[in-house]
Amino acid sequence: MYNACITGLGFYVPDTIVTNHDLEKLMDTNDDWITERSGIKQRRFFTEGKDTVASMGARASEIALQRAGLTAQDIDFIIFATLSPDYYFPGSGVLLQRELPFRNIGALDVRTQCTGFIYALSIADQFIKSGMYQNILVVGSEIQSNILECSTRNRDFAVLFGDGAGAVVVQRAKEGDTSRILSTHLHSEGKYAEDLILEHPSSRIKNRHDPNIIAEGRHLPFMRGNAVFKHAVTRFPEAIMEALDANKLQISDIDMLVPHQANLRISKAVQEKLGLPDEKVYNNIDRYGNTTAATIPIALTELWEMDKLKKGDLVCLAAFGSGFTWASALIRW
Ligand code: UT7
């Protein structure tokens, strides 16, 4: 059996910065509420005609490939995590495949929302462990600013989400190299599917384009914020402990926890439960908001760029979100 390790990382965020003060002009909200309840100060919104989910994934991928010392031609498989694909079908993975000079390799879309990147990383890990592929590109990319409605009726959702993309190259580890993905742990509990949902357009009804859907605001995302919050603060530590137990490691062994960036209060609660010091938990939600499948690869790339991921470090990834799904990964850097 082979081991898989991350050898290149990159991210791309759109140019347009939208601050909490900008949102104040569009809906009944304020900087204090958003900062206190979520930790967010600003987020990025895409530029129509310039950014697409696939193109942003491509920009992030180019950087990740270059840092891994590879070209698109070297990649054997694409795994693309997004809840906001360019099209209903085909998936954004194939659109990425045509953006860069890849061979005619397989391209798989992953649809598990906030845990999308960890699910995708887990799939990459299994393909490399089995020997099927040697070089896999794992991408998380989201355009969510046009799913939201910047209005008071949608304000609980609208202030939280942003656009962005991150990518990593996962490669077969060289023989004798200690760097590797140690394990990944994936969960779901579908009975809560409707607690965080974007229902329309839906294949469950005959007239998917019924104008009443838009008139009644049923095309907007819906979230039971409190319920999601409560589940998240339980499931995050559970998933992290599961990963540590599976590898006979302890909380004190963690060098860096990279939690999915949904809410700074969730990250702080998880940190407190685990008793981790500030310098071992990375948060960047203040600058990007929640970028769903892109949050973890963006955060990992920033850490790498700041030289905060050292060879031999134990890095823990954890996420919780719509589905509900939750997941963790432990990486020996
Ligand atoms: O990655 C996907 C996973 N998503 C999450 O993990 C999100 C989890 N949930 C949360 O982060 C929080 O529940 C929220 C940030 C969404 C909301 O924070 P909260 O502390 O749970 O607030 P709340 O929903 O209990 O609302 C408190 C008040 C309400 O007013 P009343 O009923 O007390 O008068 C809301 O109407 O805040 C009001 N409110 C707002 N006020 C100003 C809701 N949204 C806003 C807003 N600006 N944007």
Side-chain angles (χ1 to χ4, degrees):
M1 196 169 74
Y2 302 100
N3 288 309
C5 57
I6 294 175
T7 56
L9 308 96
F11 79 97
Y12 170 91
V13 287
D15 301 329
T16 305
I17 297 174
V18 177
T19 66
N20 294 347
H21 295 295
D22 294 328
L23 294 182
E24 283 172 2
K25 293 173 201 140
L26 304 170
M27 64 186 89
D28 180 14
T29 191
N30 57 78
D31 177 48
D32 285 348
W33 191 96
I34 303 171
T35 307
E36 245 168 61
R37 303 282 175 140
S38 72
I40 299 165
K41 297 299 283 182
Q42 62 181 51
R43 71 287 291 144
R44 304 294 181 111
F45 280 8
F46 85 117
T47 304
E48 190 180 313
K50 179 186 179 204
D51 301 313
T52 68
V53 165
S55 80
M56 297 196 317
R59 300 295 79 77
S61 299
E62 284 170 327
I63 300 167
L65 283 165
Q66 188 253 325
R67 288 174 175 168
L70 298 182
T71 69
Q73 290 282 312
D74 298 315
I75 293 295
D76 303 319
F77 194 58
I78 293 167
I79 311 178
F80 200 112
T82 185
L83 67 59
S84 50
D86 300 69
Y87 302 134
Y88 201 79
F89 70 84
S92 292
V94 299
L95 302 184
L96 174 64
Q97 189 276 335
R98 74 179 181 190
E99 288 259 349
L100 299 177
F102 294 106
R103 291 174 283 121
N104 291 337
I105 53 174
L108 171 71
D109 273 37
V110 170
R111 293 282 317 272
T112 58
Q113 301 67 248
C114 299
T115 55
F117 180 77
I118 300 182
Y119 268 69
L121 190 70
S122 176
I123 296 165
D125 187 33
Q126 311 318 313
F127 270 131
I128 292 204
K129 280 197 170 110
S130 73
M132 175 115 174
Y133 297 126
Q134 291 197 37
N135 304 320
I136 300 180
L137 188 62
V138 178
V139 181
S141 180
E142 305 283 6
I143 289 179
Q144 307 184 105
S145 54
N146 58 5
I147 294 173
L148 321 163
E149 182 181 83
C150 284
S151 68
T152 299
R153 70 172 175 175
N154 192 226
R155 64 179 178 176
D156 58 337
F157 221 91
V159 301
L160 297 180
F161 291 84
D163 304 337
V168 301
V169 173
V170 182
Q171 284 194 268
R172 182 191 287 181
K174 293 198 174 66
E175 230 181 290
D177 194 343
T178 52
S179 298
R180 67 190 59 174
I181 296 169
L182 294 173
S183 64
T184 53
H185 307 269
L186 313 177
H187 295 278
S188 72
E189 196 170 22
K191 73 176 174 189
Y192 296 111
E194 284 77 18
D195 280 4
L196 181 45
I197 186 171
L198 178 56
E199 192 181 344
H200 293 285
S202 164
S203 60
R204 295 158 76 114
I205 54 169
K206 289 221 162 150
N207 182 5
R208 295 176 23 167
H209 304 294
D210 180 350
N212 288 327
I213 292 171
I214 294 185
E216 291 161 14
R218 288 188 282 136
H219 64 298
L220 297 173
F222 170 79
M223 171 169 67
R224 275 184 227 289
N226 290 329
V228 177
F229 195 102
K230 278 183 198 146
H231 282 267
V233 294
T234 309
R235 295 305 192 187
F236 265 100
E238 233 177 67
I240 294 164
M241 290 313 298
E242 180 185 11
L244 289 170
D245 290 346
N247 293 283
K248 299 188 172 48
L249 292 164
Q250 296 174 358
I251 294 167
S252 56
D253 294 316
I254 295 178
D255 293 296
M256 188 58 72
L257 172 65
V258 184
H260 168 63
Q261 302 289 290
N263 186 320
L264 188 62
R265 285 189 296 146
I266 295 177
S267 294
K268 290 283 178 199
V270 173
Q271 176 182 347
E272 203 171 298
K273 264 193 185 174
L274 298 176
L276 283 168
D278 284 350
E279 64 273 16
K280 288 191 174 184
V281 184
Y282 189 64
N283 291 300
N284 61 8
I285 193 167
D286 57 325
R287 284 174 289 128
Y288 305 120
N290 182 348
T291 57
T292 304
T295 68
I296 291 181
I298 291 175
L300 269 179
T301 306
E302 287 193 335
L303 281 166
W304 183 85
E305 288 174 353
M306 290 184 289
D307 205 21
K308 285 192 177 169
L309 298 175
K310 305 269 189 232
K311 187 154 177 76
D313 277 359
L314 186 67
V315 179
C316 182
L317 314 180
F320 177 89
S322 163
F324 293 153
T325 60
W326 59 100
S328 62
L330 266 188
I331 303 168
R332 180 66 68 191
W333 206 262

